[in-house]
Amino acid sequence: MVDIEEQNETKFSDLDGRPKRRKQTKEKHLLKRSTDDKLIVQYNQYEVPIGDETNDLRSYIGVLVRDNISILYDDWRRVPLEIKDKLWDHLQDKSNKAKKMREQIKYNHRLGSTGYSGMLHRKKDEIKVSEKDLDQSQLWLMARKNNKGGYEPDVLPVVDKIDELKSQVEPRVISNS
């Protein structure tokens, strides 16, 4: 422990007159994410994260490290194995919870991280009615349409059921005779 403290002593000649300080930790919101608001991180063949969510994953791990490991450790290799194991267990636990939640999803949507509001914003020119006039079934169907305008085979029975129910409830014109 003594050599770590000696290594971390400030050498004012190295600082060019400026105190060396850490910048404020950013991305703290990543630690407070709910289990519903999760990122799907993709990995390449070498198990390296790729895609848009990679930076959020790195930021999340960075915030975890900053919040749980003393600033006295200037090198990751000097961090005690117990602390590393604790962080690893935390990441594995979150990963397992996410996998279990993912298994419970029966019908995948194609909304991405923007949700229904983002979908409505992107498709506002295609939609001929006001957003307020769309019912939940229409939104559900829109969220599950693929790029070709169709649906995946597992979703088709639900689509048929929605169409059947809507045909039974279609507004009928009532005449005053």
Side-chain angles (χ1 to χ4, degrees):
M1 189 72 165
V2 175
D3 61 270
I4 292 174
E5 289 176 8
E6 288 174 5
Q7 262 190 340
N8 287 318
E9 283 185 30
T10 306
K11 296 178 183 167
F12 291 105
S13 61
D14 295 340
L15 298 177
D16 299 328
R18 294 182 309 240
K20 188 175 181 180
R21 293 186 181 163
R22 251 180 157 167
K23 293 183 180 176
Q24 182 179 1
T25 299
K26 297 180 180 177
E27 308 293 341
K28 282 228 182 221
H29 70 279
L30 292 172
L31 289 176
K32 297 176 184 170
R33 294 174 76 104
S34 71
T35 54
D36 297 335
D37 183 27
K38 55 187 170 279
L39 296 173
I40 307 295
V41 179
Q42 297 175 356
Y43 295 87
N44 67 10
Q45 65 209 31
Y46 304 109
E47 297 298 321
V48 175
I50 58 172
D52 296 336
E53 291 79 17
T54 302
N55 287 337
D56 281 344
L57 175 65
R58 287 184 184 136
S59 296
Y60 175 74
I61 293 171
V63 171
L64 267 181
V65 168
R66 264 195 188 176
D67 286 353
N68 293 291
I69 296 180
S70 171
I71 196 168
L72 295 177
Y73 298 108
D74 63 344
D75 189 335
W76 178 251
R77 293 170 288 195
R78 294 179 185 218
V79 175
L81 198 53
E82 301 85 44
I83 296 175
K84 290 180 185 178
D85 286 341
K86 182 180 172 186
L87 290 175
W88 181 248
D89 290 343
H90 173 78
L91 288 170
Q92 289 296 100
D93 185 45
K94 286 204 66 98
S95 176
N96 291 335
K97 285 180 184 176
K99 285 176 186 173
K100 286 179 184 174
M101 292 287 289
R102 182 81 179 131
E103 289 171 359
Q104 294 176 2
I105 297 174
K106 195 169 183 179
Y107 306 109
N108 292 319
H109 63 74
R110 299 174 172 272
L111 299 176
S113 60
T114 61
Y116 283 97
S117 60
M119 175 191 64
L120 289 172
H121 179 73
R122 285 191 310 270
K123 295 186 176 195
K124 64 182 172 188
D125 296 333
E126 298 173 28
I127 302 170
K128 305 293 185 215
V129 296
S130 165
E131 291 177 18
K132 294 177 183 175
D133 294 333
L134 292 170
D135 65 28
Q136 283 185 326
S137 66
Q138 290 169 305
L139 293 173
W140 192 91
L141 292 170
M142 288 171 65
R144 282 146 185 87
K145 264 191 186 169
N146 60 26
N147 295 339
K148 297 176 183 174
Y151 300 98
E152 297 300 319
D154 61 330
V155 176
L156 285 174
V158 180
V159 172
D160 294 339
K161 184 70 172 176
I162 289 173
D163 289 343
E164 177 188 329
L165 291 171
K166 285 178 103 175
S167 68
Q168 294 173 5
V169 184
E170 284 296 317
R172 295 184 173 89
V173 178
I174 302 172
S175 62
N176 291 338
S177 304

